Amino acid sequence: MAPRAERTVLAGARVVLPTGTVEDGRVAVEGARISGSAPESARTVDLTGHWVVPGFVDLHNHGGGGASFTSGTVEEVLTGVRTHREHGTTTLVASTVTGELDFLAHRAGVLSELVEQGDLAGIHFEGPFISPCRKGAHSERLLRHPDPAEVRKLLDAARGTARMVTLATELPGGIDSVRLLAEHGVIAAIGHTDATYEQTVAAIDAGATVATHLFNAMPPLAHRDPGPIAALLEDERITVELINDGTHLHPATLGLAYHHKGADRVALITDAMDAAGFGDGRYQLGPLAVEVTHGVARLVEGGSIAGSTLTLDTAFRRAVTVDRLPVEDVVRSISATPARLLGVDDRVGSLEPGKDADLVVLDEDFVLKGVMRRGEWIIEPKTA
């Protein structure tokens, strides 16, 4: 890691601010934060021909760099965190996968320490409270109904660091669990669900606010049986996660979500597993074996897609160059929107004075060239 930038002005780039893109913009950094003005002693970094955007915020991430957030040691978890930081994700929530309840409670204790020391932004429990009909890459024998008492056990084990729980809210106890999560300020996310349209509406009314990787692990939209997708798309209280890796979603499907939700209600996520930033090979996702071939992760038994090997710099570049979304919309979906959901938008998610100096430098082709987190260069851009 390069040294702290201390007093630095990034000049000459297209800078994406909450109000829009500024040509030939300037971002002043003093210590760990963005400054409202540049000190006289500041070093100037010429980024002409580049973009400067806020650091990325990933709501849903199971690991990377060969390391698992579900089962890895503390050092392995930090390896995964560092891997994603090198790809622009300066704020990251660690997601678990289905396991025995006591094991998940133990993992929550491990991960909560990393939240408390600032390495993670929180914990997301994906499973075990999901539908066996839409289990995806989760072990069916370990699934269970969302009993509010068991949900509460995980929240208690996380010591206030749980940020989101994915539920199949149509299961017994689902609605009561949604209410419990809402009361504790934890995101209730509808996902891995076989719910009807009406059941999904009931869950939203009870306090659910996120759709876990919309379209994936849920019934498809049908003209007489709209299922959860229609309810999640039409309700302005719901923010939808999208995995933009070219495998999970067709570009037209992603476009449909943006058309209905807008960038302020779309969060681009990775749903990454260990192979992200690491390579093809054989991995474990919880108790299940996964084979990664040409960057696509699938269960060895059954062939279901098993998360992704995506990093958010790739998701950003694809959104702009393949999906043809406006850069400003992509910035909102990959930074501002997830930061708001996590309740950390007072510190991260946009380039504004007083916020953490978390930013990403991209070249004119949207290839990552620099990453700064809290005023320290993780990757320092090469300048002439």
Side-chain angles (χ1 to χ4, degrees), residues 97-173:
V97 297
T98 293
E100 295 285 0
L101 204 67
D102 287 344
F103 174 78
L104 292 174
H106 171 73
R107 288 304 296 175
V110 173
L111 295 171
S112 66
E113 294 183 9
L114 296 177
V115 178
E116 290 161 0
Q117 64 190 40
D119 295 298
L120 296 170
I123 302 170
H124 163 217
F125 295 102
E126 186 181 22
F129 311 116
I130 61 176
S131 171
C133 302
R134 305 288 173 177
K135 64 182 182 299
H138 291 255
S139 173
E140 185 168 353
R141 69 179 179 83
L142 297 175
L143 300 182
R144 54 209 302 138
H145 291 160
D147 180 341
E150 294 187 342
V151 174
R152 179 63 185 266
K153 178 178 180 176
L154 294 183
L155 299 189
D156 290 345
R159 303 198 304 262
T161 66
R163 297 290 176 263
M164 184 161 67
V165 178
T166 293
L167 306 162
T169 53
E170 75 278 8
L171 296 176

Side-chain angles (χ1 to χ4, degrees), residues 59-62 70 93-97 111 122-127 161-167 187 189 212-213 241 269 271:
L59 279 175
H60 187 157
N61 188 314
H62 298 279
T70 296
V93 172
S95 302
T96 62
V97 297
L111 295 171
I123 302 170
H124 163 217
F125 295 102
E126 186 181 22
T161 66
R163 297 290 176 263
M164 184 161 67
V165 178
T166 293
L167 306 162
I187 296 166
T212 294
H213 44 54
E241 296 181 347
I269 62 161
D271 193 18

Side-chain angles (χ1 to χ4, degrees), residues 199-345:
Q199 288 170 327
T200 306
V201 169
I204 298 170
D205 288 341
T209 56
V210 166
T212 294
H213 44 54
L214 185 72
F215 302 108
N216 298 115
M218 59 183 63
L221 184 67
H223 61 297
R224 293 192 184 94
D225 184 11
I229 292 173
L232 296 166
L233 282 176
E234 72 183 8
D235 199 305
E236 65 182 11
R237 293 171 290 181
I238 290 291
T239 300
V240 302
E241 296 181 347
L242 299 176
I243 308 170
N244 192 25
D245 62 352
T247 298
H248 282 79
L249 299 174
H250 188 283
T253 307
L254 181 128
L256 177 70
Y258 267 94
H259 174 76
H260 283 276
K261 304 302 291 188
D264 291 331
R265 287 290 181 268
V266 170
L268 294 177
I269 62 161
T270 61
D271 193 18
M273 46 80 70
D274 312 17
F278 200 68
D280 289 356
R282 183 70 66 94
Y283 297 86
Q284 287 292 127
L285 187 60
L288 303 178
V290 176
E291 186 73 34
V292 178
T293 305
H294 303 305
V296 178
R298 293 186 180 275
L299 292 182
V300 171
E301 185 176 337
S304 291
I305 293 176
S308 84
T309 63
L310 185 64
T311 53
L312 281 181
D313 59 328
T314 297
F316 190 111
R317 186 167 64 253
R318 181 180 175 84
V320 176
T321 61
V322 176
D323 304 307
R324 302 296 181 183
L325 294 172
V327 173
E328 295 81 3
D329 284 357
V330 179
V331 166
R332 289 206 295 277
S333 293
I334 213 165
S335 300
T337 296
R340 172 181 52 78
L341 282 171
L342 293 173
V344 295
D345 51 330

